[in-house]
Amino acid sequence: MPDPSSYRPKPGQIPDSPGVYKFRDEHHRVIYVGKAKSLRPRLSSYFQDLAGLHPRTRTMVTTAASVEWTVVSTEVEALQLEYSWIKEFDPRFNVKYRDDKSYPYLAVTLNEEFPRVQVMRGAKRKGVRYFGPYGHAWAIRETVDLMLRVFPVRTCSAGVFKNAERTGRPCLLGYIGKCSAPCVGRVTPEEHRELAEEFCDFMAGRTGAYIRRLERQMAVAAEDMEYEKAGRLRDDIGALRRAMEKNAVVLADATDADLIAVAEDELEAAVQIFHVRGGRVRGQRGWVTDKVEEVGTAGLVEHALQQLYGEETGDSVPKEVLVPALPGDDAATAAVTQWLSERRGSLVSLRIPQRGDKKDLMATVERNAQQALVLHKTRRASDLTTRSRALEEIARALDLDSVPLRIECFDISHLQGDDVVASMVVFEDGLARKSEYRRFQIKGRVGDTQVWHGEGQDDVRSMHEVIARRFRRYLLEKEKTGEWTEQDLAGGTDAAGGVPAAPEDDGRPKRFAYPPQLVVVDGGQPQVAAAKRALDELGIDDVAVCGLAKRLEEVWLPDDDDPVVLPRSSEGLYLLQRVRDEAHRFAITYQRAKRAKRIRTSPLDDVPGLGETRKQALIKHFGSVKRLRQATIEQICEVPGLGRKTAEAVAVALAQAAPAAPAVNTATGEIMDDDGGSTHD
């Protein structure tokens, strides 16, 4: 166990000013980020007698090997820098809320010429107006279906929209009056945008004035004996009121506020947020977290505010934020309030509700948080029990010294020997960790050594190569050689198929940095032997290897003539099957993508200096590659932007490339030419 006194700053070295600090471990990874209005007393508190520290703090300081800090001018700057660093370095000892689901939003794409109303999940995009989040996507669709009667905004995809433009016929919604059909010119872009903005105004809570305007129009139509128009307006008002009834009024005076409640125990905490707009609950979301650092309700509230509003600006930050506890003393609360106000662009009130409707609603949010924590603990207990049993069964069956907390599985994929690729998937504590997945292009070499020619169906040699490349990267990372070069790292590729240059240690997670306790290969005895041989050649003897053969689901171990047969009902076998199937899925997805890219290649791709724009110009001018191949150099020079030198290069490239095999229409037996037509003998 490292001694914190070995890296304790010298007396007088720590400044007495606001700042943000980072603790790093022996591998230079950032493991904790914190802020303080005065760095000196805060950092000094970590280096007192270990017996006096909270158990979680004690674990952190004994894991760390160094501490560093950055001085800032104000507490607001410290808050902003702390949030940025936590997001960048993902420290293991910081509280990090994780969404218990990906919440859907109602989105209006105001960044498009013809704005579209749709359901969206994930990261927010610039120029898109969001409403929600909602508990279920069907709740959004019900609301939109009611409102399209009054605000017939486009809801179709780009493909459907372009097809309607091309054919001059709108989709079904255009025929039944639930779309204004801008695709066929029934409304101008300006008129359609006005409809979209009215839709947004209504969703933002400005409902009363719009309904009163419709009521006045209905009365005027009735007086003028335009009863059909009056009836249509009456139905529109009814549809809007039904949409409003889906969100009951909970706060008077059309209040805009977010209410945040926290439920916690010694180990975990749950946060629930109600988004109130125009006095109505417009959305609800929840988070859970492990309490990996010593933190109370005030700290949990501060972390929740950072995560909730760290990426938000403008109206996404409400005028009022109601919390169960203020984030620290008066100075800390003032700093957070100033930070929220800067993100909104106007004053934000951060306070604890004391009485009335807001306090009653806060009690409802707190009950939701308590229920979410109970439900999460129930699910997790069940999951943890099952996963623990599976890992223990694997450890017993393979005679491991300890349970394999990190499992890596490798699979080879190809199509009749072409486009040979490999995948590596990672499971930690029995759960997939997709950020650690890696993909490899099989090249027939390890480092600078050519091992074999990479074509052909040789899964065994491919497996040997990919295991060697993966663990060679691990050894290089372990040695900390500093700047990585392509010569050093010729081997495993990242998701893009290239070899990235890694900078010197900066605390960010590294690729291939952590060794597994168990390597699983998709295959039987030959693949297992190849993987074991690769590890032996690198001198790695503390990683177990096994293979899972698909035919009988047998588990093979190195140097064993007979497989290990786990019961069909075994949780351990089920976990190994999930790991193997995930590796197979990841590998075949990559292989299909590579094959599709290869099929889309053209002889023009190899012409130097010929970019995508001029390639498209050539095809557009001649109509097909076949006709371009038949053209003379003088005819190619007629294409705007092409000089004679480029035209000669195009002619040479097409002459050297063998014509593609003709396609056959399977229905008629006719041979299809490059233009898509048929030829007859």
Side-chain angles (χ1 to χ4, degrees), residues 636-652:
I636 297 175
C637 288
E638 294 175 3
V639 178
L642 256 74
R644 186 171 185 85
K645 185 177 179 180
T646 305
E648 291 173 351
V650 168
V652 170

Side-chain angles (χ1 to χ4, degrees), residues 484-518:
W484 291 4
T485 65
E486 190 164 348
Q487 288 73 28
D488 291 332
L489 300 180
T493 64
D494 60 9
V499 180
E504 294 183 1
D505 286 337
D506 56 5
R508 296 178 178 84
K510 300 291 192 301
R511 292 184 172 91
F512 303 105
Y514 306 106
Q517 286 80 47
L518 175 63

Side-chain angles (χ1 to χ4, degrees), residues 410-425:
F410 297 82
D411 185 29
I412 308 297
S413 181
H414 55 78
L415 182 65
Q416 297 180 345
D418 294 328
D419 301 318
V420 186
V421 299
S423 68
M424 179 187 101
V425 301

Side-chain angles (χ1 to χ4, degrees), residues 135 210 213 299 347 364 414 422 515 543 548 554 613 663:
Y210 194 82
R213 188 175 76 188
L347 185 63
T364 301
H414 55 78
V543 176
L548 186 61
E554 300 166 330
T613 301

Side-chain angles (χ1 to χ4, degrees), residues 357-374:
D357 293 340
K358 293 177 181 177
K359 186 176 182 181
D360 293 341
L361 184 57
M362 177 62 83
T364 301
V365 184
E366 289 173 349
R367 284 196 298 273
N368 276 265
Q370 291 286 355
Q371 292 171 0
L373 182 61
V374 170

Side-chain angles (χ1 to χ4, degrees), residues 123-381:
K124 293 186 177 180
R125 305 174 189 173
K126 188 176 181 180
V128 179
R129 187 81 182 272
Y130 291 89
F131 303 95
Y134 288 75
H136 302 280
W138 55 261
I140 301 178
R141 295 188 180 98
E142 283 187 356
T143 300
V144 170
D145 188 61
L146 288 169
M147 294 185 61
L148 287 181
R149 178 186 179 88
V150 187
F151 307 105
V153 185
R154 167 197 165 208
T155 58
C156 61
S157 66
V160 172
F161 188 88
K162 289 179 181 177
N163 186 60
E165 277 185 320
R166 182 177 58 81
T167 60
R169 295 193 304 271
C171 64
L172 177 62
L173 292 179
Y175 283 111
I176 65 176
K178 288 193 173 182
C179 178
S180 54
C183 53
V184 294
R186 288 186 186 172
V187 294
T188 64
E190 293 75 20
E191 291 170 337
H192 184 266
R193 180 166 292 275
E194 185 178 350
L195 273 175
E197 289 173 349
E198 288 180 349
F199 180 96
C200 292
D201 287 343
F202 191 90
M203 288 300 301
R206 293 181 277 276
T207 58
Y210 194 82
I211 288 182
R212 286 193 294 271
R213 188 175 76 188
L214 289 181
E215 288 174 339
R216 287 195 298 270
Q217 292 175 1
M218 181 180 68
V220 170
E223 289 177 3
D224 295 341
M225 292 186 291
E226 296 179 354
Y227 299 120
E228 188 174 333
K229 179 180 178 181
R232 193 163 54 249
L233 290 169
R234 177 203 61 204
D235 294 341
D236 290 349
I237 293 169
L240 292 181
R241 283 180 170 157
R242 287 196 299 277
M244 292 169 58
E245 287 168 1
K246 290 180 176 293
N247 302 105
V249 175
V250 292
L251 296 177
D253 303 326
T255 301
D256 289 348
D258 283 350
L259 289 86
I260 302 173
V262 177
E264 57 182 311
D265 58 18
E266 286 296 318
L267 299 176
E268 295 175 306
V271 173
Q272 282 286 308
I273 303 103
F274 276 24
H275 302 278
V276 179
R277 300 294 183 267
R280 301 172 184 270
V281 178
R282 296 290 184 181
Q284 175 187 358
R285 65 195 303 183
W287 297 322
V288 291
T289 184
D290 295 321
K291 295 174 71 173
V292 292
E293 61 176 298
E294 182 185 359
V295 62
T297 303
L300 291 169
V301 168
E302 182 177 327
H303 288 306
L305 292 172
Q306 285 181 315
Q307 176 149 334
L308 190 59
Y309 303 115
E311 305 293 330
E312 304 292 349
T313 56
D315 291 340
S316 297
V317 182
K319 298 177 182 177
E320 196 171 0
V321 180
L322 305 177
V323 294
L326 295 175
D329 56 19
D330 292 343
T333 301
V336 174
T337 303
Q338 182 181 343
W339 176 68
L340 291 172
S341 300
E342 289 176 358
R343 302 207 68 80
R344 176 177 170 81
S346 61
L347 185 63
V348 173
S349 171
L350 177 65
R351 62 189 185 87
I352 303 171
Q354 301 293 335
R355 63 182 69 85
D357 293 340
K358 293 177 181 177
K359 186 176 182 181
D360 293 341
L361 184 57
M362 177 62 83
T364 301
V365 184
E366 289 173 349
R367 284 196 298 273
N368 276 265
Q370 291 286 355
Q371 292 171 0
L373 182 61
V374 170
L375 181 60
H376 169 73
K377 293 183 79 67
T378 302
R379 288 174 176 169
R380 184 167 183 180

